[in-house]
Each structure stands twice: as C-alpha cells, then as structure tokens.
Amino acid sequence: MRIRTVKPEFFLHEGLQKLEKETKLPVRLAYVGLWCAADREGRFKWEPRRLGVSILPYDSIDFSRVLDALVTRGFLVKYASNGTIFGAIPSFGKHQVINNKERASELPEPS
C-alpha cells in the first residue's frame, strides 16, 4: 500500500455517490483504497480477496462485487495479460502526484 492524496472535490463526486447508493456497497472508500493499492501508473493485480482484506479488513463484503460495480461505471478497467487479470484506474494520472522515488510499474498496460 502507498500514500496517496485525496482532493476535497472527491467527497462531492455524484457518480460515486450514486453508485454507492444503488449498489449498497462501500464503493467510495474502496475506490480511495484502490489508489493506495495501485502502482504509480494506477495499475494493480485483480485479486479481490487480497484487495478486500487490505482495503476493507473489517467489512464482510464480496470485494469482487465492489470491483465489478466500479468497472460498470468506468472508474476501473479490467484487463488480462499473459493469463493474469489486472485492473487500472483510468483517471489516476490526473489526480495523483507521484513521488519520484516510487519505482516504475512492473505491470503491463491495458490494451
């Protein structure tokens, strides 16, 4: 997990609030948690169980449902490379200032 920044406008994001209300899933907190799980390019391994334990350790929810909900609205992209599934946050670079000391992504780019 990495340290990331949350801008005040995030709390006013209507799309995330709507999605959370419709699905009754903690998508807003999970989305911020994914920023911390993602590498400097906004990519992460699609491992719902591990991500769920890291991001929402005390919630008994199926984190794959949270990830899928975020994909349906374009907040995440799910892709495969060499038989492994990955996720990417398309808007990550617009909203995060990356520490220059953070190592380069080792994960493949989405196609």
PDB file of all heavy atoms in Angstrom, residues 53-75:
ATOM      1  N   VAL A  53      -9.224  -7.538   1.830  1.00  0.00           N
ATOM      2  CA  VAL A  53      -8.626  -7.643   3.165  1.00  0.00           C
ATOM      3  C   VAL A  53      -7.730  -6.450   3.452  1.00  0.00           C
ATOM      4  O   VAL A  53      -7.672  -5.951   4.580  1.00  0.00           O
ATOM      5  CB  VAL A  53      -7.838  -8.974   3.294  1.00  0.00           C
ATOM      6  CG1 VAL A  53      -6.985  -8.996   4.546  1.00  0.00           C
ATOM      7  CG2 VAL A  53      -8.796 -10.154   3.287  1.00  0.00           C
ATOM      8  N   SER A  54      -7.047  -5.952   2.439  1.00  0.00           N
ATOM      9  CA  SER A  54      -6.148  -4.803   2.615  1.00  0.00           C
ATOM     10  C   SER A  54      -6.896  -3.484   2.755  1.00  0.00           C
ATOM     11  O   SER A  54      -6.481  -2.609   3.507  1.00  0.00           O
ATOM     12  CB  SER A  54      -5.197  -4.686   1.420  1.00  0.00           C
ATOM     13  OG  SER A  54      -4.373  -5.806   1.321  1.00  0.00           O
ATOM     14  N   ILE A  55      -7.996  -3.340   2.023  1.00  0.00           N
ATOM     15  CA  ILE A  55      -8.694  -2.056   1.953  1.00  0.00           C
ATOM     16  C   ILE A  55      -9.854  -1.958   2.944  1.00  0.00           C
ATOM     17  O   ILE A  55     -10.055  -0.921   3.566  1.00  0.00           O
ATOM     18  CB  ILE A  55      -9.176  -1.805   0.507  1.00  0.00           C
ATOM     19  CG1 ILE A  55      -7.954  -1.664  -0.417  1.00  0.00           C
ATOM     20  CG2 ILE A  55     -10.065  -0.572   0.422  1.00  0.00           C
ATOM     21  CD1 ILE A  55      -8.277  -1.676  -1.890  1.00  0.00           C
ATOM     22  N   LEU A  56     -10.618  -3.014   3.078  1.00  0.00           N
ATOM     23  CA  LEU A  56     -11.779  -3.024   3.984  1.00  0.00           C
ATOM     24  C   LEU A  56     -11.697  -4.243   4.898  1.00  0.00           C
ATOM     25  O   LEU A  56     -12.535  -5.151   4.821  1.00  0.00           O
ATOM     26  CB  LEU A  56     -13.082  -3.041   3.176  1.00  0.00           C
ATOM     27  CG  LEU A  56     -13.322  -1.846   2.260  1.00  0.00           C
ATOM     28  CD1 LEU A  56     -14.513  -2.096   1.350  1.00  0.00           C
ATOM     29  CD2 LEU A  56     -13.527  -0.584   3.070  1.00  0.00           C
ATOM     30  N   PRO A  57     -10.686  -4.304   5.771  1.00  0.00           N
ATOM     31  CA  PRO A  57     -10.444  -5.522   6.554  1.00  0.00           C
ATOM     32  C   PRO A  57     -11.561  -5.915   7.509  1.00  0.00           C
ATOM     33  O   PRO A  57     -11.661  -7.083   7.866  1.00  0.00           O
ATOM     34  CB  PRO A  57      -9.163  -5.189   7.322  1.00  0.00           C
ATOM     35  CG  PRO A  57      -9.133  -3.707   7.406  1.00  0.00           C
ATOM     36  CD  PRO A  57      -9.776  -3.225   6.134  1.00  0.00           C
ATOM     37  N   TYR A  58     -12.404  -4.999   7.910  1.00  0.00           N
ATOM     38  CA  TYR A  58     -13.439  -5.319   8.900  1.00  0.00           C
ATOM     39  C   TYR A  58     -14.836  -5.425   8.296  1.00  0.00           C
ATOM     40  O   TYR A  58     -15.804  -5.629   9.013  1.00  0.00           O
ATOM     41  CB  TYR A  58     -13.425  -4.278  10.025  1.00  0.00           C
ATOM     42  CG  TYR A  58     -12.063  -4.188  10.674  1.00  0.00           C
ATOM     43  CD1 TYR A  58     -11.276  -3.055  10.526  1.00  0.00           C
ATOM     44  CD2 TYR A  58     -11.547  -5.259  11.404  1.00  0.00           C
ATOM     45  CE1 TYR A  58     -10.015  -2.984  11.101  1.00  0.00           C
ATOM     46  CE2 TYR A  58     -10.289  -5.190  11.979  1.00  0.00           C
ATOM     47  CZ  TYR A  58      -9.529  -4.062  11.831  1.00  0.00           C
ATOM     48  OH  TYR A  58      -8.289  -3.992  12.376  1.00  0.00           O
ATOM     49  N   ASP A  59     -14.924  -5.299   6.974  1.00  0.00           N
ATOM     50  CA  ASP A  59     -16.214  -5.404   6.298  1.00  0.00           C
ATOM     51  C   ASP A  59     -16.353  -6.795   5.710  1.00  0.00           C
ATOM     52  O   ASP A  59     -15.444  -7.291   5.050  1.00  0.00           O
ATOM     53  CB  ASP A  59     -16.318  -4.380   5.166  1.00  0.00           C
ATOM     54  CG  ASP A  59     -16.346  -2.955   5.667  1.00  0.00           C
ATOM     55  OD1 ASP A  59     -15.845  -2.710   6.767  1.00  0.00           O
ATOM     56  OD2 ASP A  59     -16.860  -2.088   4.948  1.00  0.00           O
ATOM     57  N   SER A  60     -17.473  -7.413   5.939  1.00  0.00           N
ATOM     58  CA  SER A  60     -17.691  -8.750   5.376  1.00  0.00           C
ATOM     59  C   SER A  60     -18.492  -8.621   4.080  1.00  0.00           C
ATOM     60  O   SER A  60     -19.671  -8.930   4.029  1.00  0.00           O
ATOM     61  CB  SER A  60     -18.398  -9.651   6.383  1.00  0.00           C
ATOM     62  OG  SER A  60     -19.618  -9.062   6.773  1.00  0.00           O
ATOM     63  N   ILE A  61     -17.800  -8.133   3.052  1.00  0.00           N
ATOM     64  CA  ILE A  61     -18.434  -7.994   1.742  1.00  0.00           C
ATOM     65  C   ILE A  61     -17.605  -8.745   0.713  1.00  0.00           C
ATOM     66  O   ILE A  61     -16.428  -9.011   0.922  1.00  0.00           O
ATOM     67  CB  ILE A  61     -18.567  -6.510   1.311  1.00  0.00           C
ATOM     68  CG1 ILE A  61     -17.193  -5.860   1.229  1.00  0.00           C
ATOM     69  CG2 ILE A  61     -19.482  -5.750   2.226  1.00  0.00           C
ATOM     70  CD1 ILE A  61     -17.194  -4.606   0.412  1.00  0.00           C
ATOM     71  N   ASP A  62     -18.230  -9.060  -0.384  1.00  0.00           N
ATOM     72  CA  ASP A  62     -17.537  -9.684  -1.503  1.00  0.00           C
ATOM     73  C   ASP A  62     -16.902  -8.554  -2.310  1.00  0.00           C
ATOM     74  O   ASP A  62     -17.592  -7.829  -3.028  1.00  0.00           O
ATOM     75  CB  ASP A  62     -18.544 -10.474  -2.333  1.00  0.00           C
ATOM     76  CG  ASP A  62     -17.921 -11.170  -3.518  1.00  0.00           C
ATOM     77  OD1 ASP A  62     -16.716 -10.959  -3.800  1.00  0.00           O
ATOM     78  OD2 ASP A  62     -18.651 -11.921  -4.185  1.00  0.00           O
ATOM     79  N   PHE A  63     -15.597  -8.378  -2.166  1.00  0.00           N
ATOM     80  CA  PHE A  63     -14.917  -7.247  -2.803  1.00  0.00           C
ATOM     81  C   PHE A  63     -14.963  -7.339  -4.326  1.00  0.00           C
ATOM     82  O   PHE A  63     -14.866  -6.321  -5.002  1.00  0.00           O
ATOM     83  CB  PHE A  63     -13.470  -7.140  -2.309  1.00  0.00           C
ATOM     84  CG  PHE A  63     -12.897  -5.769  -2.465  1.00  0.00           C
ATOM     85  CD1 PHE A  63     -13.245  -4.743  -1.598  1.00  0.00           C
ATOM     86  CD2 PHE A  63     -12.001  -5.484  -3.487  1.00  0.00           C
ATOM     87  CE1 PHE A  63     -12.722  -3.464  -1.745  1.00  0.00           C
ATOM     88  CE2 PHE A  63     -11.466  -4.213  -3.635  1.00  0.00           C
ATOM     89  CZ  PHE A  63     -11.828  -3.206  -2.764  1.00  0.00           C
ATOM     90  N   SER A  64     -15.147  -8.526  -4.869  1.00  0.00           N
ATOM     91  CA  SER A  64     -15.269  -8.640  -6.326  1.00  0.00           C
ATOM     92  C   SER A  64     -16.507  -7.897  -6.818  1.00  0.00           C
ATOM     93  O   SER A  64     -16.504  -7.328  -7.910  1.00  0.00           O
ATOM     94  CB  SER A  64     -15.294 -10.097  -6.776  1.00  0.00           C
ATOM     95  OG  SER A  64     -16.404 -10.766  -6.248  1.00  0.00           O
ATOM     96  N   ARG A  65     -17.554  -7.845  -6.002  1.00  0.00           N
ATOM     97  CA  ARG A  65     -18.755  -7.075  -6.368  1.00  0.00           C
ATOM     98  C   ARG A  65     -18.454  -5.581  -6.402  1.00  0.00           C
ATOM     99  O   ARG A  65     -18.966  -4.854  -7.253  1.00  0.00           O
ATOM    100  CB  ARG A  65     -19.895  -7.362  -5.384  1.00  0.00           C
ATOM    101  CG  ARG A  65     -20.439  -8.783  -5.514  1.00  0.00           C
ATOM    102  CD  ARG A  65     -21.626  -9.037  -4.591  1.00  0.00           C
ATOM    103  NE  ARG A  65     -22.686  -8.087  -4.865  1.00  0.00           N
ATOM    104  CZ  ARG A  65     -23.397  -7.467  -3.908  1.00  0.00           C
ATOM    105  NH1 ARG A  65     -23.161  -7.708  -2.628  1.00  0.00           N
ATOM    106  NH2 ARG A  65     -24.341  -6.613  -4.231  1.00  0.00           N
ATOM    107  N   VAL A  66     -17.631  -5.124  -5.472  1.00  0.00           N
ATOM    108  CA  VAL A  66     -17.231  -3.710  -5.441  1.00  0.00           C
ATOM    109  C   VAL A  66     -16.432  -3.381  -6.700  1.00  0.00           C
ATOM    110  O   VAL A  66     -16.694  -2.385  -7.376  1.00  0.00           O
ATOM    111  CB  VAL A  66     -16.405  -3.396  -4.173  1.00  0.00           C
ATOM    112  CG1 VAL A  66     -15.871  -1.987  -4.206  1.00  0.00           C
ATOM    113  CG2 VAL A  66     -17.233  -3.635  -2.920  1.00  0.00           C
ATOM    114  N   LEU A  67     -15.459  -4.230  -7.023  1.00  0.00           N
ATOM    115  CA  LEU A  67     -14.640  -4.003  -8.220  1.00  0.00           C
ATOM    116  C   LEU A  67     -15.506  -3.995  -9.479  1.00  0.00           C
ATOM    117  O   LEU A  67     -15.364  -3.117 -10.333  1.00  0.00           O
ATOM    118  CB  LEU A  67     -13.555  -5.080  -8.325  1.00  0.00           C
ATOM    119  CG  LEU A  67     -12.469  -5.064  -7.253  1.00  0.00           C
ATOM    120  CD1 LEU A  67     -11.596  -6.315  -7.360  1.00  0.00           C
ATOM    121  CD2 LEU A  67     -11.630  -3.806  -7.341  1.00  0.00           C
ATOM    122  N   ASP A  68     -16.398  -4.969  -9.586  1.00  0.00           N
ATOM    123  CA  ASP A  68     -17.265  -5.049 -10.759  1.00  0.00           C
ATOM    124  C   ASP A  68     -18.162  -3.817 -10.885  1.00  0.00           C
ATOM    125  O   ASP A  68     -18.386  -3.309 -11.984  1.00  0.00           O
ATOM    126  CB  ASP A  68     -18.113  -6.320 -10.727  1.00  0.00           C
ATOM    127  CG  ASP A  68     -17.277  -7.577 -10.928  1.00  0.00           C
ATOM    128  OD1 ASP A  68     -16.148  -7.477 -11.457  1.00  0.00           O
ATOM    129  OD2 ASP A  68     -17.754  -8.667 -10.545  1.00  0.00           O
ATOM    130  N   ALA A  69     -18.659  -3.319  -9.770  1.00  0.00           N
ATOM    131  CA  ALA A  69     -19.503  -2.116  -9.796  1.00  0.00           C
ATOM    132  C   ALA A  69     -18.703  -0.924 -10.312  1.00  0.00           C
ATOM    133  O   ALA A  69     -19.202  -0.125 -11.120  1.00  0.00           O
ATOM    134  CB  ALA A  69     -20.052  -1.824  -8.402  1.00  0.00           C
ATOM    135  N   LEU A  70     -17.449  -0.797  -9.880  1.00  0.00           N
ATOM    136  CA  LEU A  70     -16.607   0.309 -10.342  1.00  0.00           C
ATOM    137  C   LEU A  70     -16.267   0.178 -11.827  1.00  0.00           C
ATOM    138  O   LEU A  70     -16.156   1.181 -12.535  1.00  0.00           O
ATOM    139  CB  LEU A  70     -15.332   0.392  -9.494  1.00  0.00           C
ATOM    140  CG  LEU A  70     -15.552   0.886  -8.063  1.00  0.00           C
ATOM    141  CD1 LEU A  70     -14.349   0.573  -7.183  1.00  0.00           C
ATOM    142  CD2 LEU A  70     -15.851   2.384  -8.048  1.00  0.00           C
ATOM    143  N   VAL A  71     -16.167  -1.049 -12.323  1.00  0.00           N
ATOM    144  CA  VAL A  71     -15.920  -1.269 -13.753  1.00  0.00           C
ATOM    145  C   VAL A  71     -17.132  -0.835 -14.571  1.00  0.00           C
ATOM    146  O   VAL A  71     -16.982  -0.194 -15.613  1.00  0.00           O
ATOM    147  CB  VAL A  71     -15.577  -2.754 -14.038  1.00  0.00           C
ATOM    148  CG1 VAL A  71     -15.614  -3.056 -15.527  1.00  0.00           C
ATOM    149  CG2 VAL A  71     -14.202  -3.098 -13.478  1.00  0.00           C
ATOM    150  N   THR A  72     -18.335  -1.163 -14.095  1.00  0.00           N
ATOM    151  CA  THR A  72     -19.546  -0.853 -14.867  1.00  0.00           C
ATOM    152  C   THR A  72     -19.715   0.633 -15.144  1.00  0.00           C
ATOM    153  O   THR A  72     -20.317   1.011 -16.138  1.00  0.00           O
ATOM    154  CB  THR A  72     -20.831  -1.363 -14.172  1.00  0.00           C
ATOM    155  OG1 THR A  72     -21.003  -0.677 -12.937  1.00  0.00           O
ATOM    156  CG2 THR A  72     -20.793  -2.859 -13.966  1.00  0.00           C
ATOM    157  N   ARG A  73     -19.173   1.478 -14.278  1.00  0.00           N
ATOM    158  CA  ARG A  73     -19.300   2.928 -14.454  1.00  0.00           C
ATOM    159  C   ARG A  73     -18.025   3.577 -14.988  1.00  0.00           C
ATOM    160  O   ARG A  73     -17.931   4.798 -15.064  1.00  0.00           O
ATOM    161  CB  ARG A  73     -19.677   3.593 -13.130  1.00  0.00           C
ATOM    162  CG  ARG A  73     -21.015   3.163 -12.591  1.00  0.00           C
ATOM    163  CD  ARG A  73     -22.166   3.677 -13.458  1.00  0.00           C
ATOM    164  NE  ARG A  73     -23.426   3.087 -13.087  1.00  0.00           N
ATOM    165  CZ  ARG A  73     -24.231   3.547 -12.144  1.00  0.00           C
ATOM    166  NH1 ARG A  73     -23.918   4.617 -11.465  1.00  0.00           N
ATOM    167  NH2 ARG A  73     -25.359   2.926 -11.886  1.00  0.00           N
ATOM    168  N   GLY A  74     -17.028   2.764 -15.344  1.00  0.00           N
ATOM    169  CA  GLY A  74     -15.812   3.299 -15.944  1.00  0.00           C
ATOM    170  C   GLY A  74     -14.785   3.841 -14.969  1.00  0.00           C
ATOM    171  O   GLY A  74     -13.801   4.452 -15.377  1.00  0.00           O
ATOM    172  N   PHE A  75     -14.976   3.614 -13.671  1.00  0.00           N
ATOM    173  CA  PHE A  75     -13.997   4.060 -12.688  1.00  0.00           C
ATOM    174  C   PHE A  75     -12.759   3.167 -12.698  1.00  0.00           C
ATOM    175  O   PHE A  75     -11.676   3.581 -12.289  1.00  0.00           O
ATOM    176  CB  PHE A  75     -14.603   4.099 -11.286  1.00  0.00           C
ATOM    177  CG  PHE A  75     -15.663   5.140 -11.134  1.00  0.00           C
ATOM    178  CD1 PHE A  75     -16.999   4.777 -11.031  1.00  0.00           C
ATOM    179  CD2 PHE A  75     -15.336   6.490 -11.107  1.00  0.00           C
ATOM    180  CE1 PHE A  75     -17.988   5.746 -10.896  1.00  0.00           C
ATOM    181  CE2 PHE A  75     -16.316   7.456 -10.971  1.00  0.00           C
ATOM    182  CZ  PHE A  75     -17.645   7.090 -10.877  1.00  0.00           C
TER     183      PHE A  75
END
